[in-house]
Amino acid sequence: MATNFFQQQDLARRKTFQLVVYFVLAILILIALVYALLLALSIYSAHAPVSWWQPELLLLAAPGVGLVVGGASAFKVARLASGGQAVALMMGGKEVPGTTTDARQKRLLNVVEEMALAAGVPVPPVYVLEEPGINAFAAGYAPGDAVVAVSEGCLNYLTRDELQGVVAHEFSHILNGDMRLNIRLIGLIFGIMALSIIGRMLMLTSGGRSSGRNDSRGGLVLLGLGVFVLGLVGAFFGRLIMAAVSRQREYLADASAVQFTRNPDGIGGALKKIGGLVGGSRINNPQAAEVGHMFFANAFVGGGLAGLLATHPPLVERIRRVDPQFDGQFPEVRPVGIDREELEGRRPGSLPPLAGMPRLPGLPQVPVPVLGFADEAASRIGHVDPEVISCAQALHDGMPEVVRVAAQEPFSARALVYAILLDPRADLRDLQLTRLKASAEPQDFAETLRLVAPVQALPDTHRLPLLDLAMPALRQMSPCQHRAFRAQVEMLVIADQRLSLFEYTLRCVLHRHLDAQFLPQRQTRPLHRSPQKLTRPVATVLALLAWEGQPESDQAAQAFDRGMRAYIGGDHTHRLRPRDECSLAEFDAALGTLRQAVSAIKRRIVVACTACILANKQVTVRETELLRAICDTLDCPLPPLVVAEAETTMNGIAGEGQRAMVAQGWLRN
């Protein structure tokens, strides 16, 4: 069985531990070398024999190296605290506005949006690097603050399928937890290389003024030269650590890109064009040495030890892993043109807009096999399939033009969220609009009125994907605008003195992905490692899920029991609480506790929630929205359900019910 999302998260954490071990070893080696340098300087300046063991020099070297390396690493990490945006700007990236009229940039945005909708994550901001080579990277601490950056070479030389392969590779890094590891690696490597910067400064400030052996400035020059050389040694270890940590992750991302798109010619074609292009994947920005491990392919050319220190596997080997028939001959690379089908991504056999997507609010209430589905659903977390990408394309293309355009600009994106929150009942909607008119800017109110009709005409299944599409524009708000926006959202949510499940889900998604940018919070390590100690908050979450999906108490109790059994793995003593005792406040607090669990427990939680939802062999939009809120809080990207027509899915479906539904990743043809 392929490694799943939760296993990849654990693997990324183990890689982080491995990175720390390498880092500590490098520091110990640097301390020993600095001690040797100080000892050599003391011999140089002394007129009598000097002992090889001088504890006072070691006490000077160890704290000094620790302070320089640790301080420089902390400084670099602090500069990158805002996540992926800081890395993109450091590399000279320019954000692509959603309203761009450039055909190549529009094609790129469409590919990224489709991949994000298919992965169940908010659409990340997209940056373009003014670099002629073919390269790309994803950066951030979590999917909520990720960015995707591609070079001009990608836009000019790659077809849509090849560009989709590169984007799928980067989304693999987003979903597998590689981004946080990569940013930490930038900080640690910068700290190790800081000694060379200090050595260079010492040589520049004191060089040329030394007059002999006894001149103190001569000793300072020698000290600077020695520290500079040690810095180069540190840089060597830094490159070695980069290579050790990142190479295997690149193989995994290549394999994931093929798995996501089921098109090895996409990423394979992009890699072949890198080999055939003059300059290949080279990035000319001087910062490329620091972030080279984050790129799609090698960003800079090293010296004689390039093979040992390369952050990526050999290009030919990567190609042959996705295309075993590759003969080693790279193609001639020329700029590609873009026609309408290239721009919109419609290919023969692809789904027409909204094909297979329910038109009316709510998903069909149809039987589905339950046994084994919950575990299979958890395996789909952080995973993308071609069928989901096709459905995401259909969903994207099926959005009314007025709504898609509104989602691409910060001003109208705020109004779009307000329109989504307006109640379908006329009396409550009028109350919300009255309060919005009194507290919002006049242009915000006017824009909201303009969007009410097209937004409320959308199926319920489109509301959260529309919010995901609007996320890049919402991130462009200023801190002041975000505070006002947050206040307006709260006002609309509590206008009727109650919090609906959809309002809770929308607020949860907004806060989860916008607060990370506007209200930075300290990253915390998982605290809970025992499933038994979390049974109470799990029971609180499952109780609300059970009551939401089952109208009768005995059915709700059965769903709750099925969920608890899936979590614990056997019998349990918990009983379903009465419906009036299940509040969203307790549900939210329970999710906050469960968010601090390790990945293995989070997987159990997703399995339990899915088993609870599927207990009556029915799925509703409300249940899927609530499951999205749960998975979003747990940092587990949930792909959307793909529901097909009964007539097209009956053949080949085995199991209880034999009828009428394909839930992507839960039930397959």
Side-chain angles (χ1 to χ4, degrees), residues 555-628:
Q555 295 175 337
Q558 182 181 8
F560 175 82
D561 178 70
R562 192 180 292 271
M564 288 301 300
R565 286 176 179 271
Y567 177 74
I568 295 175
D571 294 334
H572 64 95
T573 59
H574 290 269
R575 294 292 178 265
L576 177 66
R577 297 164 61 185
R579 189 182 190 112
D580 56 4
E581 293 182 12
C582 299
S583 69
L584 274 174
E586 289 184 339
F587 177 87
D588 188 65
L591 279 183
T593 300
L594 297 178
R595 186 186 170 202
Q596 301 176 65
V598 296
S599 294
I601 297 180
K602 288 182 178 180
R603 187 182 193 280
R604 287 194 182 201
I605 296 168
V606 175
V607 170
C609 291
T610 309
C612 180
I613 287 174
L614 293 175
N616 65 345
K617 307 172 189 153
Q618 298 177 352
V619 181
T620 68
V621 168
R622 294 293 181 269
E623 288 174 314
T624 58
E625 289 175 344
L626 197 53
L627 185 60
R628 165 70 188 270

Side-chain angles (χ1 to χ4, degrees), residues 23-206:
F23 181 65
V24 171
L25 289 176
I27 290 179
L28 292 177
I29 294 173
L30 287 177
I31 289 174
L33 292 175
V34 169
Y35 171 76
L37 175 63
L38 294 177
L39 184 62
L41 288 173
S42 66
I43 294 174
Y44 170 85
S45 59
H47 299 286
V50 176
S51 171
W52 289 98
W53 172 243
Q54 297 189 34
E56 64 276 10
L57 288 183
L58 183 60
L59 291 176
L60 179 63
V65 172
L67 183 63
V68 170
V69 175
S73 295
F75 168 77
K76 194 66 173 182
V77 171
R79 287 194 62 186
L80 301 177
S82 59
Q85 182 184 40
V87 180
L89 294 177
M90 182 177 76
M91 292 303 301
K94 295 183 179 179
E95 186 169 0
V96 180
T99 54
T100 182
T101 56
D102 182 279
R104 298 178 192 276
Q105 293 183 355
K106 194 66 179 176
R107 180 186 65 170
L108 171 64
L109 287 181
N110 286 348
V111 170
V112 173
E113 288 170 351
E114 292 161 5
M115 192 64 66
L117 291 178
V121 299
V123 177
V126 180
Y127 287 79
V128 170
L129 311 176
E130 294 182 350
E131 300 281 352
I134 298 174
N135 225 322
F137 68 82
Y141 285 101
D145 68 359
V147 305
V148 172
V150 304
S151 65
E152 289 279 3
C154 284
L155 301 185
N156 294 333
Y157 298 113
L158 299 185
T159 65
R160 193 182 201 279
D161 283 349
E162 291 164 349
L163 185 62
Q164 188 185 59
V166 172
V167 170
H169 174 103
E170 299 308 327
F171 265 83
S172 171
H173 287 310
I174 293 175
L175 298 173
N176 287 335
D178 296 338
M179 297 188 305
R180 184 192 299 270
L181 175 67
N182 286 337
I183 288 186
R184 287 173 175 167
L185 188 55
I186 292 174
L188 298 185
I189 298 306
F190 182 80
I192 293 176
M193 297 172 63
L195 287 174
S196 64
I197 300 173
I198 294 175
R200 189 181 297 114
M201 292 172 59
L202 287 173
M203 288 191 297
L204 291 176
T205 55
S206 58

Side-chain angles (χ1 to χ4, degrees), residues 220-283:
L220 194 58
V221 171
L222 290 177
L223 176 62
L225 178 61
V227 173
F228 177 72
V229 172
L230 291 181
L232 295 180
V233 174
F236 171 80
F237 283 117
R239 300 277 180 261
L240 206 58
I241 293 172
M242 274 189 185
V245 171
S246 63
R247 282 190 189 180
Q248 291 303 316
R249 307 297 286 179
E250 293 304 316
Y251 281 133
L252 172 65
D254 287 348
S256 296
V258 175
Q259 191 176 25
F260 289 179
T261 62
R262 206 170 293 161
N263 180 15
D265 292 337
I267 189 171
L271 291 170
K272 291 173 186 176
K273 285 185 176 179
I274 288 175
L277 181 68
V278 176
S281 54
R282 183 181 179 87
I283 298 295

Side-chain angles (χ1 to χ4, degrees), residues 17 98 161 172 219 367 425 431 442 477 508 528 551 626 649:
F17 176 76
D161 283 349
S172 171
R425 292 165 293 184
L431 174 62
M477 293 186 291
C508 179
H528 305 297
L626 197 53
T649 60

Side-chain angles (χ1 to χ4, degrees), residues 302-620:
L305 294 176
L308 176 65
L309 302 181
T311 55
H312 293 67
L315 188 62
V316 172
E317 187 173 338
R318 289 179 69 184
I319 295 173
R320 284 182 174 151
R321 288 209 178 192
V322 298
D323 180 10
Q325 307 304 317
F326 178 57
D327 59 5
Q329 299 297 312
F330 295 110
E332 181 181 355
V333 181
R334 296 179 179 177
V336 298
I338 299 180
D339 56 23
R340 185 170 182 83
E341 287 191 359
E342 267 276 297
L343 178 62
E344 296 180 356
R346 294 198 181 103
R347 297 181 296 276
S350 63
L351 290 172
L354 296 177
M357 299 298 293
R359 276 289 195 178
L360 301 176
L363 297 180
Q365 300 295 297
V366 293
V368 294
V370 176
L371 296 178
F373 271 26
D375 189 68
E376 178 67 12
S379 72
R380 313 313 297 171
I381 295 291
H383 184 86
V384 180
D385 271 340
E387 293 85 357
V388 188
I389 295 178
S390 295
C391 212
Q393 290 173 343
L395 182 65
H396 183 273
D397 294 341
M399 294 280 186
E401 185 69 16
V402 62
V403 170
R404 272 199 295 173
V405 171
Q408 295 167 345
E409 198 276 325
F411 165 68
S412 55
R414 299 198 304 269
L416 189 65
V417 175
Y418 301 154
I420 293 174
L421 281 169
L422 292 178
D423 200 282
R425 292 165 293 184
D427 55 339
L428 290 178
R429 183 170 65 249
D430 291 343
L431 174 62
Q432 289 173 310
L433 287 173
T434 300
R435 295 188 177 181
L436 184 65
K437 184 177 182 180
S439 58
E441 295 292 332
Q443 58 269 31
D444 283 350
F445 179 73
E447 183 69 6
T448 303
L449 284 180
R450 185 180 74 87
L451 294 171
V452 170
V455 167
Q456 298 218 331
L458 289 173
D460 288 355
T461 49
H462 287 49
R463 295 182 300 182
L464 287 182
L466 183 57
L467 182 63
D468 289 335
L469 286 177
M471 203 60 71
L474 293 174
R475 288 195 181 102
Q476 296 177 30
M477 293 186 291
S478 68
C480 182
Q481 289 172 332
H482 173 252
R483 287 193 296 271
F485 171 74
R486 213 172 189 271
Q488 299 298 346
V489 168
E490 290 299 313
M491 180 274 297
L492 292 172
V493 164
I494 65 174
D496 59 352
Q497 302 300 312
R498 62 182 296 273
L499 184 66
S500 71
L501 286 177
F502 173 72
E503 290 170 338
Y504 170 79
T505 300
L506 183 142
R507 190 174 67 171
C508 179
V509 172
L510 282 176
H511 290 182
R512 183 81 186 90
H513 298 293
L514 290 182
D515 287 0
Q517 176 171 334
F518 294 102
L519 304 171
Q521 300 176 355
R522 186 173 64 88
Q523 302 292 332
T524 58
R525 295 175 59 85
L527 300 177
H528 305 297
R529 302 179 181 276
S530 171
Q532 288 72 27
K533 293 182 179 180
L534 292 176
T535 53
R536 184 176 296 276
V538 169
T540 300
V541 169
L542 292 178
L544 188 65
L545 266 180
W547 282 117
E548 174 59 26
Q550 327 299 330
E552 303 296 335
S553 59
D554 56 340
Q555 295 175 337
Q558 182 181 8
F560 175 82
D561 178 70
R562 192 180 292 271
M564 288 301 300
R565 286 176 179 271
Y567 177 74
I568 295 175
D571 294 334
H572 64 95
T573 59
H574 290 269
R575 294 292 178 265
L576 177 66
R577 297 164 61 185
R579 189 182 190 112
D580 56 4
E581 293 182 12
C582 299
S583 69
L584 274 174
E586 289 184 339
F587 177 87
D588 188 65
L591 279 183
T593 300
L594 297 178
R595 186 186 170 202
Q596 301 176 65
V598 296
S599 294
I601 297 180
K602 288 182 178 180
R603 187 182 193 280
R604 287 194 182 201
I605 296 168
V606 175
V607 170
C609 291
T610 309
C612 180
I613 287 174
L614 293 175
N616 65 345
K617 307 172 189 153
Q618 298 177 352
V619 181
T620 68

